[in-house]
Amino acid sequence: MTLPKSFEDYTLQLMGAERFTRLCQALDTPSPVSIRFNPFKTTNEERQSMTFPGHEGERIKQTDKVSWCNEGHYLESRPAFTLDPLLHAGVYYVQEASSMFIDHVIREYVTEPVKMLDLCAAPGGKTTAVRAALPEGSMLFCNEPVKLRANILSENMQKFGHPEVIVTNNYPRDYARSGLRFDVILADVPCSGEGMFRKDEDAVRLWSPQNVEKCRDLQREIIETIWPCLNAGGILIYSTCTYNAKEDEENIAWIADNLGADVLKVPVEDGWNITGPLVGNNPVCRFLPGYTMGEGLFMAVLRKRGEQEEAKENKVREARQRKKEKGKQDHQQPTTAYQQWLKEPVNFHWVADRLVAMPQQWDAYYLQATKYLHILHAGITIGTAKGKDLVPDESLALSTALSTEAFPRWEADYHEALQYLHREAVVLPAEMPKGYVLVTYQGHPLGFVKNLGSRANNLYPKEWKIKITL
């Protein structure tokens, strides 16, 4: 790999000769392939035995587990992921191994239910890992300011299927104005992308010292803007996929000194080969190709200083707001006839012609968010009104909250499942009842069809359909 001369000069000085040489050697080797299973949709037995579609009928096997993430596994080669129905069912997520470290960090520092914000979340790799690691009863807001990327985030979170999620398309300043407060904020900030050199040729081509400086300034602006949304005593998780100290160690020192935070040490095992700080003494974590089996990643954990009384006042204020919203929502509730489609009680809301269900304990937060934020997805989208009918939504099909008794099911084989995901016509058995039918593959829901008897209408979302073929 040919690297920019100015990058080589700076990084050699930063890392020293041995680390830099090992990094360059690793960048000339293929990237490891890894996936992370969805614990809400798989069992340990399924994970251990699962293989993945390759080419010409071959099956690709798992090799080692990712040391810092229990659901993470390396694969012996890269499968044809797009042609695996289980990927589209949200059974697993394709994610490079270093980024799975967020699972370890969350489990280390978040031990009771929280309200969390993933600020720069697209496409959803760290977000789905966070949702899997958070204690039961937590709510996760995930946000992406770029509309196209936000739509991808929304799709991936719906496939993941957890109902205690809200996806937004906003800037940090919108959150700052909303009055929403969080116990944990993950800021995987936009960066110069040096850690992606092996996977993305554009990252090498677009790199420049000027862009590094620009990214450093933008990162500080993002953190400073969102800082008031973090409760006193709350946790900020800062990460980049870059190597330079300007966007990494120097920014951590700036946050601690200028905004008021303590940098927390994340316990790691020696065998993980995670590098500590290259500049200064703050306890940070660096993943370097050549040492760790993954791409470049930098991560640090900070606790916001401040009196605990401030956090208590915020909780009291939020409790008043929830009570206020609860008083408003009774007359907004539509029919609850669709409650039988779900495992747990929810509150229903009409958003234009869509029926949305929110877990009851988070309903007031959702209503507050609707006033200030552009929400792309929240809780479970039950369906869309069409005349007197309600057409069940893909979000409902993929949700872990879907009742197993809600709809008749049709188990598709591999080729039938791909036909469905290509949004082609599928042929149901003659004995299948008319009406809405849930399509499954290996027991995992893919979406709905409407059985008319003579034919079945494929209801898979047009914008999600896969376009490549066998």
Side-chain angles (χ1 to χ4, degrees):
M1 178 183 296
T2 302
L3 298 170
K5 181 66 166 56
S6 51
F7 170 81
E8 289 185 334
D9 293 342
Y10 172 86
T11 309
L12 174 60
Q13 183 179 15
L14 175 68
M15 294 185 177
E18 181 181 351
R19 280 198 182 113
F20 181 69
T21 299
R22 287 182 65 170
L23 171 66
C24 290
Q25 290 172 345
L27 293 181
D28 283 326
T29 63
S31 298
V33 181
S34 52
I35 58 100
R36 180 176 38 75
F37 288 109
N38 184 342
F40 304 112
K41 294 189 175 185
T42 57
T43 63
N44 285 327
E45 291 75 17
E46 283 182 288
R47 296 172 209 164
Q48 291 170 5
S49 62
M50 194 175 295
T51 60
F52 305 85
H55 302 282
E56 298 181 356
E58 65 176 303
R59 299 300 297 182
I60 293 173
K61 298 178 181 179
Q62 304 170 43
T63 55
D64 300 326
K65 289 187 68 172
V66 176
S67 300
W68 43 86
C69 178
N70 189 53
E71 282 83 31
H73 290 261
Y74 295 101
L75 305 183
E76 58 188 7
S77 61
R78 189 170 189 85
F81 283 122
T82 304
L83 296 176
D84 188 357
L86 293 180
L87 174 71
H88 303 280
V91 169
Y92 65 90
Y93 190 97
V94 183
Q95 185 179 28
E96 71 88 13
S98 299
S99 293
M100 297 182 199
F101 188 63
I102 188 65
D103 177 277
H104 175 72
V105 171
I106 292 292
R107 294 183 192 277
E108 184 67 31
Y109 281 107
V110 185
T111 57
E112 59 185 30
V114 295
K115 186 151 62 78
M116 179 171 174
L117 168 64
D118 185 351
L119 183 62
C120 313
K126 290 186 181 68
T127 320
T128 51
V130 163
R131 184 60 271 185
L134 283 174
E136 185 178 352
S138 299
M139 168 55 82
L140 178 62
F141 282 68
C142 44
N143 175 71
E144 171 57 45
V146 179
K147 181 61 183 296
L148 180 61
R149 287 171 54 81
N151 288 334
I152 295 170
L153 172 65
S154 179
E155 176 182 343
N156 284 330
M157 295 314 296
Q158 289 179 69
K159 288 179 176 177
F160 189 74
H162 199 288
E164 292 178 292
V165 168
I166 293 176
V167 182
T168 61
N169 173 213
N170 287 93
Y171 288 97
R173 62 176 178 268
D174 300 321
Y175 270 90
R177 293 167 183 162
S178 72
L180 292 166
R181 298 290 181 267
F182 299 92
D183 306 300
V184 184
I185 295 178
L186 167 61
D188 186 34
V189 289
C191 69
S192 56
E194 297 163 357
M196 300 299 291
F197 280 179
R198 181 162 55 171
K199 294 180 68 175
D200 186 354
E201 293 180 0
D202 284 342
V204 180
R205 181 177 58 82
L206 296 173
W207 186 91
S208 70
Q210 295 77 19
N211 191 42
V212 169
E213 301 279 346
K214 182 179 177 181
C215 288
R216 179 201 61 191
D217 294 343
L218 174 61
Q219 291 153 0
R220 294 184 180 185
E221 179 184 341
I222 289 171
I223 300 301
E224 189 170 28
T225 301
I226 204 63
W227 195 248
C229 294
L230 182 62
N231 283 324
I235 296 294
L236 172 74
I237 304 169
Y238 176 97
S239 68
T240 73
C241 59
T242 205
Y243 302 123
N244 69 78
K246 294 180 180 180
E247 299 176 67
D248 294 342
E249 285 94 342
E250 292 179 19
N251 267 357
I252 295 304
W254 182 88
I255 294 168
D257 295 342
N258 289 271
L259 301 182
D262 298 311
V263 187
L264 306 180
K265 184 176 182 179
V266 180
V268 299
E269 297 182 16
D270 292 341
W272 297 356
N273 296 319
I274 296 172
T275 303
L278 300 180
V279 172
N281 298 314
N282 283 320
V284 301
C285 296
R286 281 180 170 273
F287 288 69
L288 300 178
Y291 289 86
T292 50
M293 197 171 170
E295 303 302 339
L297 175 79
F298 173 90
M299 191 170 287
V301 181
L302 303 95
R303 189 184 301 279
K304 184 177 182 178
R305 296 179 194 143
E307 298 296 329
Q308 291 299 315
E309 289 304 315
E310 178 186 337
K312 289 179 182 177
E313 288 174 7
N314 283 338
K315 291 184 183 297
V316 170
R317 191 180 302 113
E318 288 188 342
R320 288 183 188 142
Q321 181 68 23
R322 288 198 300 273
K323 186 175 180 181
K324 182 179 178 182
E325 297 294 351
K326 189 174 186 300
K328 292 180 179 179
Q329 67 193 30
D330 292 337
H331 69 279
Q332 298 173 345
Q333 292 293 303
T335 176
T336 56
Y338 304 106
Q339 178 64 67
Q340 61 185 332
W341 290 358
L342 303 171
K343 295 176 182 176
E344 301 291 339
V346 296
N347 286 352
F348 291 100
H349 302 276
W350 285 106
V351 180
D353 60 349
R354 293 182 301 119
L355 182 61
V356 172
M358 281 299 299
Q360 291 179 340
Q361 67 270 34
W362 298 111
D363 200 63
Y365 289 112
Y366 165 69
L367 292 173
Q368 184 179 356
T370 60
K371 297 177 181 178
Y372 300 96
L373 303 175
H374 181 205
I375 295 177
L376 300 183
H377 168 69
I380 312 145
T381 302
I382 300 297
T384 303
K386 188 174 182 181
K388 295 182 179 180
D389 195 10
L390 186 76
V391 181
D393 194 85
E394 185 69 16
S395 168
L396 175 66
L398 297 172
S399 177
T400 58
L402 176 67
S403 171
T404 56
E405 306 299 322
F407 297 93
R409 296 185 171 215
W410 172 58
E411 176 69 13
D413 63 25
Y414 178 69
H415 291 283
E416 291 168 333
L418 287 184
Q419 283 180 316
Y420 177 75
L421 294 169
H422 279 104
R423 217 168 179 273
E424 297 171 357
V426 294
V427 179
L428 301 181
E431 66 272 15
M432 191 63 63
K434 291 183 181 180
Y436 296 108
V437 174
L438 186 67
V439 180
T440 63
Y441 174 72
Q442 295 186 11
H444 295 282
L446 294 176
F448 290 105
V449 295
K450 187 172 184 180
N451 184 21
L452 303 177
S454 58
R455 60 186 174 86
N457 289 344
N458 190 329
L459 301 181
Y460 196 68
K462 293 178 182 178
E463 61 274 17
W464 290 11
K465 73 175 184 179
I466 62 176
K467 297 176 182 177
I468 66 170
T469 57
L470 287 171

